[in-house]
Amino acid sequence: MANDAHKKRLIFLAILIAVLLFLALDMVQPFLRPLILASVIALGCYPLHAWLQRRIRWRDWAALISTLIVFLGVAVPAFVLTYLIGGELSHIATHISDQSTREGGFMAYVQHGEDRFVVWASEYVDVEQFHIRQRVNALPERASEFLLGMGSSIAGGAINGITDGILTLVFLFFFFRDGAKWLDGLAEVLPLRRESVERVYRAVHSSVVATLYGLVGVALAQGLLTGVGLYFAGIDNFLMLGMLAAVCSVIPVVGTSLVWGPAAVYLLVTDHTGKAIFLLIWGVAVVSMADHIIRPLVLRGRMQLHIMWLLFAILGGLLTFGFVGLFLGPVIFSLLATLLAILREEMAEEPAGIPRAG
């Protein structure tokens, strides 16, 4: 009778916890992106924090200093790069303004570039079927609509980005300070052996760190390759633009094309057709393909998953969850593989008290 009452209490608690957990996850969902980002940074930078904690007696101060180091490590390069990009954009705007003034205004300057492009393209295709001139004449109206929409998007994105950044730093502080204690508490609650829980933790840690290393490796490689392509194409400030390409490499789908694409268009408009074609081929065939080569190699070196499942994890995670899917996808597949291995081992064990058949 007492055993039945105990089971009823466990069932009641399990149902109540499941309902409350569902409600809690629904409330946490708006903050999922900064939470995941903070957890990724905490795992990646944990050796630094552990080193600081061994030298600083107070947990709060160690967590605060670790968070400030991460903030400065991101904010300072971002500020320098923004300053350099702002100066370069100002230089480009001045150049376009001077050119358009010499050629009778901005639209005359654009039409002059259009004429050069039409002359070149007409050697290969029938350009009249694409109505290029009509499209150029409608450019001012479309440009106005585009700039208005882009301005609203940038303003909204900037507010969301600042909010997410602040929340990420707040979450990161608590992950540094209390993360180890939370993991120990979770290990006590999970109905798994301690060594199994540690295997799960190691799988999650390895996948997150591998994905972080892959992200950094791809960014460095694509930034370097973009800079090399821009150098051979004769683009000034190729070093700064290569740095910008490294930052843009983390943007899903478009990535570094935000850098080498406009550069190729600029070369085409300024009558450097050969260099423009070279840069387009270099960007598509070399820079973009580096992502599909480097990231799986880095992940495979730290995760015991087949290359096909790694591709599913990366591409599927990206399509399903967006940018955070780059981390969630490998974590889900690695966690699934680890849990299946634990289940197989548990099922293979002989239950205590049951004799072996035969």
Side-chain angles (χ1 to χ4, degrees):
M1 193 69 177
N3 194 23
D4 291 340
H6 179 67
K7 289 182 179 179
K8 290 180 180 179
R9 287 196 297 270
L10 290 179
I11 293 173
F12 171 75
L13 287 173
I15 295 174
L16 186 60
I17 290 173
V19 172
L20 293 176
L21 185 60
F22 174 79
L23 295 175
L25 289 176
D26 190 52
M27 290 185 287
V28 168
Q29 186 179 2
F31 311 102
L32 188 61
R33 185 166 52 188
L35 267 174
I36 293 176
L37 186 58
S39 62
V40 167
I41 296 173
L43 287 173
C45 299
Y46 188 77
L48 169 65
H49 175 66
W51 181 82
L52 283 172
Q53 201 165 27
R54 288 193 296 269
R55 286 155 178 80
I56 301 175
R57 296 179 57 184
W58 295 279
R59 290 190 309 146
D60 289 353
W61 280 105
L64 180 61
I65 293 174
S66 298
T67 305
L68 288 176
I69 291 174
V70 171
F71 171 73
L72 293 175
V74 174
V76 172
F79 175 79
V80 173
L81 188 60
T82 301
Y83 176 79
L84 293 175
I85 292 172
E88 184 62 19
L89 290 177
S90 177
H91 173 73
I92 293 173
T94 301
H95 173 73
I96 292 176
S97 177
D98 293 341
Q99 285 289 104
S100 63
T101 300
R102 284 194 293 268
E103 297 185 17
F106 178 72
M107 285 306 301
Y109 176 58
V110 172
Q111 289 171 351
H112 181 64
E114 171 216 351
D115 292 336
R116 288 201 299 263
F117 173 76
V118 169
V119 170
W120 170 79
S122 61
E123 299 178 3
Y124 305 95
V125 295
D126 182 13
V127 296
E128 294 300 327
Q129 64 178 326
F130 297 105
H131 307 291
I132 294 178
R133 298 188 185 279
Q134 292 88 333
R135 295 177 186 273
V136 172
N137 292 333
L139 184 62
E141 182 180 356
R142 293 184 179 181
S144 177
E145 296 174 356
F146 171 75
L147 290 175
L148 183 62
M150 187 176 66
S152 302
S153 299
I154 290 175
I159 295 174
N160 292 333
I162 293 173
T163 303
D164 285 352
I166 294 174
L167 289 174
T168 300
L169 291 175
V170 173
F171 296 150
L172 182 62
F173 169 80
F174 290 112
F175 284 153
F176 278 142
R177 192 188 71 172
D178 303 315
K181 183 174 66 175
W182 290 343
L183 291 177
D184 288 338
L186 180 61
E188 297 294 331
V189 176
L190 291 176
L192 294 173
R193 299 175 183 179
R194 184 70 187 198
E195 56 268 23
S196 297
V197 175
E198 291 176 356
R199 284 175 61 183
V200 171
Y201 286 171
R202 284 196 300 270
V204 173
H205 179 267
S206 296
S207 62
V208 169
V209 172
T211 305
L212 190 61
Y213 288 173
L215 197 68
V216 174
V218 169
L220 293 176
Q222 289 191 324
L224 177 62
L225 291 172
T226 302
V228 170
L230 293 171
Y231 171 77
F232 284 111
I235 298 292
D236 295 333
N237 295 326
F238 62 90
L239 183 61
M240 186 272 293
L241 292 175
M243 294 169 57
L244 177 60
V247 175
C248 291
S249 67
V250 303
I251 301 176
V253 183
V254 288
T256 55
S257 64
L258 291 174
V259 177
W260 53 260
V265 173
Y266 169 77
L267 289 171
L268 189 62
V269 171
T270 55
D271 209 18
H272 295 85
T273 306
K275 292 181 178 180
I277 295 174
F278 160 75
L279 191 56
L280 283 173
I281 295 175
W282 180 268
V284 173
V286 178
V287 178
S288 297
M289 290 304 297
D291 186 6
H292 304 293
I293 297 174
I294 296 175
R295 198 187 304 273
L297 288 177
V298 174
L299 288 177
R300 194 180 181 188
R302 298 182 63 96
M303 297 172 58
Q304 302 302 318
L305 286 177
H306 191 273
I307 187 68
M308 186 181 72
W309 301 121
L310 282 177
L311 291 176
F312 276 128
I314 297 170
L315 300 178
L318 186 62
L319 292 174
T320 305
F321 302 105
F323 174 72
V324 295
L326 289 175
F327 299 95
L328 278 181
V331 166
I332 290 172
F333 273 76
S334 180
L335 190 57
L336 177 60
T338 303
L339 291 176
L340 287 174
I342 293 174
L343 177 62
R344 186 172 59 249
E345 294 169 3
E346 291 286 344
M347 293 177 65
E349 287 189 5
E350 182 179 343
I354 299 178
R356 185 185 297 271

